[in-house]
Amino acid sequence: MTKPTSAEIRSQFLEFFKSKGHEVVASAGVVPRNDPTLLFTNAGMVQFKDAFLGEDKRRYTRAASSQKCVRMSGKHNDLDNVGRTARHHTFFEMLGNFSFGDYFKRDAIAYAWELLTVVWKLPKERLVITVFGGEDGLPADDEAREIWREVTGFGDERIIGLGRKDNFWTMGDTGPCGPCTEIHFFMGEGTPDVSQFNVVEPAYDGSGWMEIWNNVFMQFNRAVKDGPLVPLPAQSVDTGMGLERITAVLQGVTSNYDTDLLRPLVERAAQIGGKPYGATDGDFDVSCRVIADHARMTAFALAEGIQPSNKERGAALRSVMRRAIRFGYMQGLREPAFDQVVSLVIDQMGGAYPELMQHRDFILAETRKEDERFRETVPTGLGLLEKFDGWRAGPDGAKVLPGEVAFDLHSTFGFPFDLTEVIGRERGFVIDQEGFEAAKAKHSDISKGEGEGGGISADVRVPVQYRNALAEVGPVEFNGYAQEVDEARIVALFAVGDDRSITAVTSLPTGARGRVVTSRTPFYGESGGQVGDVGVINAGESTFKVTDTQKPVHGLVVHVGTVTAGSLGLGDTVTLAVDRDARSATRRNHSATHLLHWALRKVLGPHAQQKGSKVSPEGLRFDYASTRALTDEEIARIENLVNDEVLANLPVETEVTTQAEARARGAMMIFEEKYGDSVRLLRIGRESVELCGGTHATRTGDIGLFKVVSDANVGAGVRRIEAVTGFGALELTRRLTGTLQQVADTLKAPVAELGARVEKAVERERELLREIDALKRQVMTAGGGGAAEVTALAGGVRLVVARAPSADEKGLRDLADHLRDKHAPAVVVVGATTPEGKALLVVAVSKEATTAYQAGKIVGQLAAVVGGRGGGRPDMASAGGPDGAKLDEVFARARSIVA
């Protein structure tokens, strides 16, 4: 019988649930949308979290997907185990079916059993079911147990009750949760003994009982950590089945690495390593599996614009990439080769995930770059170990490398700990493991204390008052695409205290700071990089000045501001008026942002993906993926492309469609954004097609003039363009023109001749500086040379000490050179005191004397005298310190050192 391919298995799963009335939903990215509590998407339900909470109304109530997932730690995916076992992975695909208040336990169980035993024909004697058996005051899930009995005909020996750890599912500390039922399959030869069933992961070779499908029955939500479980608005279902696991089952292999998903990658790694996989070398096989798994995460992470760095997602990616690269290095691969395996990932999976093919060049270039960076750290680490002389003695007399030194090699120089261990085995030393862990923990504590607020792991919470308001009044209708003034009724009011606390109230008096929610609004709530609208809300003689508009919860629009006259009350009918000038400026800048994105990709290539943006009335800020600055020529090309579209004065076309249709039409989808099933498609100009919910110009000509203000680096692999349009561009032009005229007046020259005049003035300044330097050297060498004290040393070498007449480091070096040449072979020590009382020191040593006297070592000891630090080459070194009054002590110390 022909074994199904993984692609066929993925398709069969989705088609099965499509036949059961499920909407097949495309995978979300591995970067979660609007969920700062997650580093990566780690389960199929992540993109449906708002639907489970009742905050996002979908056009369907049941869905199925194959979700790209990344996990770096936890029950099934501890990084150190990846490659060593048959199951652990950093990247995997999760097949899932979901019900949002539609079907519940009975249908979920029946669907699972039908797919496994009727469609895929898995032998029932190899299956065992687990259900929640009750714990910590939560009752056992007897309902699920009874349904399983009816559907399968199994007795209790095959329907096993387990505790909260195994059969009660939560997504972190907060969020939707509930009891779950798991389906386990016996992997390996022979007939399974059900009495020996346990939930421990299979053996390293993959044999034993393996969980293949988890059905979670979403009944509760935990809003805060350790808080109470609150029933969800509707009972829901969330299931997850690893594609790698079910493929191993259906292809009859015990290891995920032997499936068609991973075995070709393993074989490619083995081919590069020059040995057959699965022969006799266990360490080599582990390396091949590590490289295969990590190549998949690398490809998918880079495809979404994540780049290796030292922070958050970038740090996670770098650790995975370098783990794969160093496993190859430890097997003898001395040239970059990881990109060859990543390339095969793109070939294999590019059909199912087009973003891999779209960003192929960028993915491979970044992979090779990181491989080369890692290899640069190896000789550095080896050199530091060669020079290290602080070895400790172990209890058995072995040389011990202090743990803090091993950690410094890792954290400062990027030298991996396990590579240090390998070198230790080769060179006869061990590492103080406890000291390493202690240094690591100390570093982690410091990082946490000094990190920026609002990071990936920030405990972001929406005030419960907003959630309650949404539950009570329902979603707020936004009608601001078509109008800027409207009437509505106040449905919720909140007062803001001096401590920023938010309290639901029935009225807001004059002077009160507050939040206003209306039944509908033309005000745009901040999202998608566009700032919230400003304006006023009027009720008769009462006025509420809106200084910001927010969307704290999906579906809720909150007007932020202050009552400047009269008072507002719950139920009042009000007139909402958006500030038209601010809205118009924002529209121009937002539409220009789309054109800028298009132009950047046109000039730099498809890797220049959007990484973030901010659109306001004042201008636009656009972050994009790039490792270098734009040239002047590239900026000019980008400006020309955008302004050409502006001058064409083309209509901005807007259409509401499905996500699948938008993707088919080539719409740009920003990975940092979250899209619903119904999306707003914008065509701006002749080629820019993006999904966007923001407000935009009516025609490209409304933008006016587009002008880039700056291009700057904001982080590893990310740059930021700031630009202006319309009146902002006009104001910039006026300021620049005014500055040019001011310079022209100062130089008494026409603006048209400024370039030549400034160049002439700069060249004259250079000439004067050269003359000043020459005069300084004359003063130094004449005065300093005459004041030099010369002492004969052993071997014909002379010690020369001199106090320089002025404190200029370049002058000191010139004087030291002059004295060294004059008295060669010589050791020269020159010092000076700055007007601020600080010391400057320079030590120069003749080349032929550097075997006995090292300038860098000498200056280091002298710097300590003046309370400073220094260093340099064996023949020339410099130092500085705060205590310039101790120059005589420096010279005396120099005599004792060289003597």
Side-chain angles (χ1 to χ4, degrees), residues 441-488:
K442 182 179 179 182
H443 176 80
S444 176
D445 289 342
I446 291 171
S447 297
K448 288 175 184 175
E450 295 179 353
E452 296 179 3
I456 291 297
S457 59
D459 195 21
V460 177
R461 303 287 175 233
V462 173
V464 69
Q465 294 91 333
Y466 289 155
R467 292 193 185 278
N468 292 340
L470 181 64
E472 291 174 13
V473 306
V476 174
E477 176 192 351
F478 171 67
N479 56 12
Y481 294 132
Q483 57 199 88
E484 294 170 353
V485 179
D486 194 16
E487 284 193 354

Side-chain angles (χ1 to χ4, degrees), residues 27-285:
S27 171
V30 297
V31 177
R33 318 295 180 260
N34 293 359
D35 193 342
T37 65
L38 290 176
L39 198 64
F40 294 103
T41 298
N42 59 5
M45 66 81 63
V46 170
Q47 69 165 311
F48 302 113
K49 187 174 178 181
D50 289 345
F52 283 120
L53 289 169
E55 296 171 359
D56 186 8
K57 302 300 181 185
R58 308 274 174 131
R59 59 184 173 82
Y60 49 79
T61 56
R62 45 178 71 186
S65 69
S66 179
Q67 174 63 49
K68 302 175 291 185
C69 296
V70 170
R71 290 184 184 173
M72 299 289 289
S73 62
K75 176 182 176 184
H76 300 300
N77 46 285
D78 181 54
L79 185 60
D80 290 339
N81 282 327
V82 174
R84 302 186 188 279
T85 75
R87 299 282 171 267
H88 288 85
H89 301 292
T90 54
F91 173 89
F92 62 97
E93 289 182 76
M94 184 173 284
L95 305 172
N97 58 289
F98 310 91
S99 164
F100 314 113
D102 189 329
Y103 63 85
F104 201 45
K105 296 178 184 179
R106 180 167 295 279
D107 285 344
I109 289 171
Y111 292 154
W113 192 247
E114 181 183 350
L115 179 59
L116 293 176
T117 62
V118 177
V119 178
W120 285 336
K121 296 180 170 52
L122 295 189
K124 299 176 184 178
E125 64 273 13
R126 285 181 172 266
L127 294 168
V128 160
I129 312 300
T130 64
V131 297
F132 182 52
E135 188 178 346
D136 296 338
L138 291 170
D141 194 356
D142 293 331
E143 180 187 4
R145 179 187 290 275
E146 187 56 37
I147 295 170
W148 275 117
R149 284 197 190 106
E150 295 175 21
V151 170
T152 65
F154 285 173
D156 284 345
E157 77 282 358
R158 283 185 176 271
I159 306 174
I160 301 167
L162 297 175
R164 193 166 184 162
K165 176 184 175 185
D166 296 297
N167 279 83
F168 195 93
W169 191 90
T170 61
M171 192 181 78
D173 296 326
T174 63
C177 58
C180 63
T181 182
E182 294 180 340
I183 305 167
H184 299 258
F185 186 86
F186 185 79
M187 304 288 286
E189 300 297 327
T191 303
D193 182 354
V194 177
S195 67
Q196 299 299 310
F197 170 81
N198 61 65
V199 291
V200 177
E201 277 290 288
Y204 270 54
D205 65 358
S207 61
W209 289 101
M210 177 179 72
E211 174 205 332
I212 58 172
W213 203 344
N214 186 8
N215 280 240
V216 178
F217 304 126
M218 293 288 191
Q219 293 176 248
F220 310 107
N221 179 50
R222 177 175 277 123
V224 295
K225 185 178 179 180
D226 300 325
L229 297 179
V230 179
L232 285 168
Q235 294 179 327
S236 301
V237 174
D238 158 33
T239 85
M241 174 165 56
L243 177 62
E244 292 74 14
R245 292 187 175 215
I246 193 62
T247 300
V249 170
L250 294 174
Q251 292 183 352
V253 295
T254 56
S255 171
N256 294 357
Y257 291 94
D258 289 332
T259 67
D260 66 344
L261 285 162
L262 284 152
R263 186 61 185 250
L265 305 176
V266 171
E267 293 290 355
R268 174 63 63 86
Q271 179 187 18
I272 295 168
K275 296 181 187 179
Y277 175 75
T280 56
D281 190 342
D283 288 342
F284 180 77
D285 289 353

Side-chain angles (χ1 to χ4, degrees), residues 874-890:
D875 63 325
M876 177 71 77
S878 61
D883 199 346
K886 292 186 175 181
L887 277 188
D888 288 337
E889 291 183 38
V890 168

